[in-house]
Amino acid sequence: MIPSLLFGVLLMTVPSSNGVPVACMMEYEDGGAPAVFGYPECPERVFPPAGYLKNQTLNCQFAILQGRRDYQEDVIACNLDFKVPLLGAGKNGLEEEAVGVVAVFDGHGGKEGSEIASKLLFDYFYLHVLFQSYKVMAHHNGVLSSSDYKSFQLEILKEALSRTIRDIDFSFSQEAIKNNFLSGSTATVVLLYDRQILVANVGDSKALLLSEKIQSALGTEGDSTEHLSATALTYDHHPDREDERARIEAAGGSVITWGVPRVNGVLAMSRSIGDVYLRRYGVIAEPEYTGWRPLTANDTHLAVASDGIFESLTQQDIGNLIFQWNSHFQTSEDSEMPWSCLSSTSLAECIVNTAYEKGSHDNLSVIIVPLTPTSVL
């Protein structure tokens, strides 16, 4: 957003950088969140408050199942009411704003990558939102019109998420080198703010948007049926995707099919957190984004899931299950809901159990977010 040297000069124009020492701000610019957390001159107020609940899932509906694997490597992180110090008109130019954060980390080669990613997500994101807000204020000499706030807020949140994923990869990669970890993880992270949604994706976990659709019945006049249509918000990073293959081969790697296409015959994805031994062969942790998009009145649910769900279910299967669940429990209509759902205690559990019963062999995890005006940001 702002080059380092220019940022340092701009900081001098905002008194005490809103109470944060310039040395701390420069440490952030040079080393990101990991540097700030290890820098003694950064005051406590730049960090999440003591006792702050960061990995809260009580306000999120989720289900996770080890399935037919010998170990569990999926980890979720979700908080639909995560309070961050975001650019605003409040004290010191910041306001406490609630942002929904929904993430699935699907580990491979060990659980270290997904576990560390989930533990760092909220701490790093909080800090990046704070410092990116300060940077915008410094760039504008602390003077912003009220009409500027919304566009800057969305830009800040996206930049904060991008830097969060980068720093998670850096921190885990350092641990992997030190401890000889060969593991890695996907990272699919969704932000919900001001009735808008942003998705960042690394790897092959998925985010789906479910929306109400009215379809006319064939051969009838005036009759119509309602269903939920599933729209993918992510694009899988498989090594045989044309652009991904080109990067891998340009770096000296190869795409070899061993069951599925794999980087050097090993990794079944071309982007991931960690996997440090494949970095030289074009595997990167840079996310792809579905840019900020407004939610409409027809958008009913967000689903974020590991790829194990999609071993046995299609994207539209998810939409059908959600529609059948709602029809069965919220209306008097009959439904063809499978037994795996009738015996489930939640919609998320219904999806996980159905994927398992239909034959998935992978770990299974899903987070379901209802997108009603009263239940999402």
Side-chain angles (χ1 to χ4, degrees):
M1 295 171 69
I2 305 173
S4 297
L5 290 177
L6 176 59
F7 177 55
V9 173
L10 289 171
L11 285 175
M12 305 303 177
T13 68
V14 182
S16 301
S17 296
N18 295 278
V20 177
V22 172
C24 177
M25 300 289 282
M26 294 305 296
E27 189 72 15
Y28 168 78
E29 189 64 15
D30 290 340
V36 171
F37 275 98
Y39 191 60
E41 292 191 34
C42 290
E44 289 187 5
R45 59 181 168 274
V46 306
F47 304 108
Y52 194 57
L53 193 58
K54 296 177 287 296
N55 194 7
Q56 210 260 81
T57 55
L58 293 178
N59 58 6
C60 295
Q61 182 189 152
F62 68 94
I64 188 164
L65 183 68
Q66 182 173 318
R68 295 177 172 87
R69 287 288 183 91
D70 293 332
Y71 36 81
Q72 175 61 271
E73 295 173 324
D74 282 6
V75 182
I76 67 160
C78 182
N79 191 334
L80 298 181
D81 191 34
F82 186 59
K83 302 295 196 307
V84 294
L86 184 61
L87 175 74
K91 184 179 179 181
N92 295 325
L94 299 177
E95 290 182 344
E96 185 178 76
E97 293 283 339
V99 178
V101 182
V102 182
V104 167
F105 301 100
D106 181 354
H108 49 262
K111 62 183 180 180
E112 299 90 0
S114 54
E115 287 190 342
I116 288 176
S118 67
K119 289 176 182 177
L120 296 177
L121 174 64
F122 290 103
D123 276 339
Y124 281 10
F125 183 65
Y126 181 101
L127 189 144
H128 279 302
V129 172
L130 174 72
F131 279 90
Q132 290 300 310
S133 294
Y134 282 157
K135 287 178 68 173
V136 170
M137 286 190 288
H139 185 63
H140 292 272
N141 296 320
V143 179
L144 287 168
S145 67
S146 58
S147 61
D148 291 333
Y149 288 132
K150 286 303 179 184
S151 61
F152 279 123
Q153 285 174 335
L154 296 180
E155 181 183 353
I156 287 167
L157 291 172
K158 180 178 179 180
E159 182 69 13
L161 179 56
S162 177
R163 289 174 178 247
T164 294
I165 293 173
R166 181 197 65 188
D167 285 353
I168 286 173
D169 177 65
F170 173 81
S171 294
F172 174 65
S173 294
Q174 294 296 104
E175 288 295 312
I177 293 169
K178 182 168 60 177
N179 296 288
N180 295 316
F181 294 151
L182 299 179
S183 52
S185 177
T186 71
T188 299
V189 188
V190 181
L191 300 183
L192 297 158
Y193 178 68
D194 193 33
R195 293 293 297 171
Q196 298 198 61
I197 186 170
L198 172 74
V199 183
N201 185 54
V202 178
D204 60 2
S205 294
K206 292 179 176 61
L208 304 178
L209 185 64
L210 290 309
S211 306
E212 290 181 344
K213 301 289 184 182
I214 304 297
Q215 181 176 351
S216 297
L218 294 176
T220 62
E221 185 175 345
D223 292 337
S224 61
T225 59
E226 181 180 332
H227 71 288
L228 291 183
S229 175
T231 301
L233 300 178
T234 53
Y235 303 93
D236 291 346
H237 294 129
H238 290 157
D240 60 339
R241 209 178 85 174
E242 185 176 351
D243 54 341
E244 299 294 292
R245 179 193 288 270
R247 186 186 66 252
I248 291 163
E249 293 179 345
S254 59
V255 178
I256 300 171
T257 299
W258 185 259
V260 295
R262 300 175 184 271
V263 179
N264 290 2
V266 179
L267 184 64
M269 64 191 72
S270 50
R271 302 192 192 196
S272 71
I273 301 294
D275 292 299
V276 293
Y277 64 101
L278 289 172
R279 280 291 183 257
R280 69 182 71 178
Y281 299 112
V283 174
I284 61 176
E286 181 181 346
E288 276 191 304
Y289 289 93
T290 300
W292 284 108
R293 59 184 285 174
L295 295 170
T296 71
N298 290 333
D299 298 327
T300 65
H301 294 81
L302 167 72
V304 185
S306 61
D307 71 318
I309 295 291
F310 301 96
E311 278 191 4
S312 56
L313 298 178
T314 67
Q315 294 174 180
Q316 190 54 51
D317 286 339
I318 304 298
N320 295 342
L321 285 172
I322 294 174
F323 183 81
Q324 291 165 0
W325 177 274
N326 290 338
S327 295
H328 184 84
F329 288 104
Q330 297 179 10
T331 73
S332 58
E333 297 178 14
D334 292 333
S335 73
E336 299 178 357
M337 195 165 62
W339 172 250
S340 53
C341 287
L342 292 173
S343 59
S344 299
T345 60
S346 71
L347 177 53
E349 188 177 308
C350 156
I351 293 169
V352 162
N353 288 344
T354 302
Y356 178 78
E357 291 192 3
K358 284 184 174 291
S360 177
H361 286 81
D362 203 351
N363 299 148
L364 300 157
S365 58
V366 66
I367 304 169
I368 299 295
V369 180
L371 299 177
T372 61
T374 59
S375 64
V376 72
L377 303 161

